[in-house]
Amino acid sequence: MNEISFDDFMKVDVRVGVITKAEPYPEARKPAIKLWVDFGPEIGERKSSAQITKHYTPDDLPGKKVMAVVNFPPRQIGKFMSEILVLGVPDGDDEVVLLTPDKDVPIGGRLY
């Protein structure tokens, strides 16, 4: 495991946001869902593509709070521009489970 300094960790801006909209993304190489996530007035709404179809459908996601990296440069995913990295961990079958706060917290809050 490579160690990093605390200063390096602090460069990664991880915030809590709420999914406002989700749509299927059938054009993606692997099954994915397009997400729009609101991080509040400071950051606003950003979009992402996530390979989360094993545990989630587009109808399940609006209103769900998630954790995401908000300061990576935008990345083209097929014809869709991803502006954030929504965070998840693998289940026992290596399928993505989204990271969510376990209490009701305000959107825009930074991980520390």
Side-chain angles (χ1 to χ4, degrees), residues 32-107:
I33 298 174
K34 295 177 187 178
L35 303 173
W36 286 260
V37 183
D38 182 13
F39 295 95
E42 181 184 340
I43 296 171
E45 187 174 76
R46 304 273 179 97
K47 58 188 180 178
S48 184
S49 169
Q51 295 173 358
I52 56 173
T53 57
K54 178 70 175 182
H55 294 294
Y56 308 96
T57 68
D59 292 338
D60 298 333
L61 294 165
K64 184 174 194 60
K65 288 187 176 172
V66 293
M67 303 300 297
V69 177
V70 298
N71 66 333
F72 283 152
R75 183 174 176 200
Q76 192 76 38
I77 309 291
K79 295 181 179 182
F80 190 74
M81 184 61 74
S82 184
E83 301 169 320
I84 57 172
L85 176 65
V86 176
L87 299 175
V89 293
D91 68 7
D93 295 323
D94 211 29
E95 297 289 342
V96 178
V97 175
L98 294 171
L99 288 182
T100 63
D102 71 348
K103 302 282 188 230
D104 188 22
V105 296
I107 61 172

Side-chain angles (χ1 to χ4, degrees), residues 7-29:
D7 288 340
D8 288 338
F9 172 74
M10 290 305 296
K11 292 177 185 175
V12 181
D13 192 352
V14 178
R15 304 280 181 132
V16 61
V18 63
I19 297 172
T20 58
K21 180 177 161 184
E23 294 179 353
Y25 190 19
E27 304 88 3
R29 274 185 290 152

